[in-house]
Amino acid sequence: MTEATAEISKESQMKKQRTWRLVRALLPILGLILMFILFNFLTHGRMIKHLPLAMSQVYVTMIASMGVFFIMSMGGLDFSQGSILGLSAITVCVLSRYNIPLAIVGGICTGACIGAINGYFYVNRKIKSFIVTICTMFLFRGLIKFLTTNSPVAGSADLVSIDSTLFKVTVTAVVVLIGFICFTFTRFGTDLKAIGAGEKAAKFSGIRTDRMKFLVYVLAGAITGFAAFISAIKVGSVTSSGGNQLETQILIALVLGGMPISGGAMVRFSNCVVGSLLYVVLTSGLTMIGFTPQMMQLIQGIIFLVFVAIFADRDSLTVIK
């Protein structure tokens, strides 16, 4: 009788866990739908009318957040994405005066080099990821301000002429599709989640964890370097504030999308896509209602804390990587 009761109790607990996982997976999607309907109602239909304008902000965030998504999947953090974007955008603008394809390659290489610096100190020097990336954030933010001291760094006229909704939607869709396929259907995503779930166990299973961590930081930097090209074609120049606060936007977007801070098996690629859309809808909706920047930050902070409380894995968070 005792064994039967224990078996029933175990099955009940497993059923609750499956239900909770389903709720966690569906909550960001439901939040996106409900938030869009709410803001459309509060703005008297302006949300739908100005949807193309609102969505113009999502391309850079969605592309750049994909790289950070890979990093967070293995339990790491990256606060240098804004600085990577700003410095890569400067490279794009300078090289665009010679050749647009060269500018794209230059932006990607710049981002990859900064990612390699992050990866080196994180993997080889064994410094926590959040410490390394905060240091490089300030380092390269200072370099951006130095390079833009006299005037903004302007790109060629051809750079701005590329800007169109169709181009940005197509490019973003292709990048996200490639990321989805690699993360979902290849060993790449499996290894990242295994490292996030337990690095020692992943190492014993044959995964070259140090190599993987270094390459992911390089990849994340390269992806943000490409996002810098999308950012540059919008305005055609870079100021000292280029990429400012991008790392905060990405972190909020991923958490809103249901991304577990510690990574691991609960990670889903939809966390990146849904979170980016949810962040843009939230920001655009609050702006259309007429909230001040201070009030918007307050509301975003409250929502951010709620989602962290829901999706954080407290057992894994005892160790910061």
Side-chain angles (χ1 to χ4, degrees):
M1 188 68 179
T2 306
E3 292 182 0
T5 304
E7 187 67 26
I8 293 173
S9 177
K10 185 177 180 181
E11 290 181 2
S12 176
Q13 187 176 4
M14 291 178 64
K15 186 176 180 180
K16 288 180 180 179
Q17 289 178 349
R18 286 194 296 268
T19 303
W20 176 235
R21 289 175 183 174
L22 180 62
V23 170
R24 286 179 55 154
L26 294 177
L27 184 61
I29 299 174
L30 293 174
L32 176 61
I33 296 172
L34 292 175
M35 195 169 291
F36 181 80
I37 294 173
L38 175 63
F39 282 129
N40 191 58
F41 172 76
L42 294 175
T43 58
H44 307 288
R46 282 190 297 155
M47 195 71 182
I48 291 180
K49 292 179 182 177
H50 296 86
L51 187 61
L53 179 61
M55 289 298 103
S56 67
Q57 307 171 42
V58 79
Y59 309 118
V60 173
T61 303
M62 187 174 292
I63 293 174
S65 66
M66 192 170 69
V68 181
F69 167 79
F70 294 148
I71 290 174
M72 290 180 65
S73 295
M74 62 179 187
L77 292 171
D78 191 347
F79 293 105
S80 65
Q81 291 296 310
S83 298
I84 293 176
L85 185 99
L87 200 57
S88 298
I90 290 175
T91 303
V92 169
C93 287
V94 171
L95 294 180
S96 68
R97 303 166 191 169
Y98 304 96
N99 187 274
I100 297 299
L102 178 63
I104 298 173
V105 173
I108 293 173
C109 290
T110 300
C113 288
I114 299 175
I117 293 172
N118 288 335
Y120 169 77
F121 283 100
Y122 173 46
V123 176
N124 296 83
R125 309 309 301 174
K126 306 300 180 184
I127 303 174
K128 301 296 184 183
S129 60
F130 75 96
I131 296 177
V132 171
T133 54
I134 285 176
C135 291
T136 54
M137 174 187 71
F138 283 108
L139 171 64
F140 292 109
R141 178 56 55 189
L143 181 58
I144 292 168
K145 291 183 178 180
F146 173 77
L147 294 173
T148 57
T149 298
N150 297 325
S151 63
V153 178
S156 67
D158 293 336
L159 191 64
V160 182
S161 65
I162 300 174
D163 186 30
S164 70
T165 301
L166 178 61
F167 175 77
K168 289 185 288 189
V169 168
T170 303
V171 168
T172 303
V174 170
V175 172
V176 170
L177 180 61
I178 293 173
F180 170 73
I181 292 172
C182 292
F183 187 80
T184 308
F185 300 107
T186 69
R187 185 178 171 179
F188 173 71
T190 305
D191 288 354
L192 288 183
K193 289 189 284 187
I195 294 172
E199 187 172 338
K200 288 185 178 179
K203 187 177 292 186
F204 285 128
S205 68
I207 299 174
R208 300 176 65 177
T209 55
D210 285 349
R211 180 185 178 186
M212 176 63 74
K213 290 190 292 184
F214 177 81
L215 291 177
V216 168
Y217 271 93
V218 174
L219 176 62
I223 292 172
T224 303
F226 181 75
F229 166 70
I230 303 299
S231 175
I233 65 175
K234 184 177 180 180
V235 293
S237 63
V238 185
T239 64
S240 60
S241 62
N244 196 29
Q245 298 298 317
L246 177 66
E247 54 280 330
T248 306
Q249 296 171 15
I250 290 174
L251 184 59
I252 293 176
L254 289 175
V255 172
L256 290 179
M259 180 76 186
I261 298 294
S262 54
M266 297 298 293
V267 172
R268 301 290 181 271
F269 192 82
S270 59
N271 301 146
C272 173
V273 178
V274 175
S276 300
L277 293 171
L278 191 51
Y279 175 79
V280 170
V281 168
L282 174 62
T283 304
S284 301
L286 293 174
T287 302
M288 289 181 185
I289 291 174
F291 284 114
T292 63
Q294 294 82 358
M295 184 58 68
M296 287 175 59
Q297 286 184 344
L298 176 62
I299 296 172
Q300 289 174 349
I302 293 172
I303 295 175
F304 180 71
L305 284 174
V306 170
F307 272 71
V308 167
I310 294 173
F311 295 110
D313 186 345
R314 288 155 183 80
D315 294 330
S316 299
L317 283 177
T318 55
V319 178
I320 299 175
K321 297 180 182 178

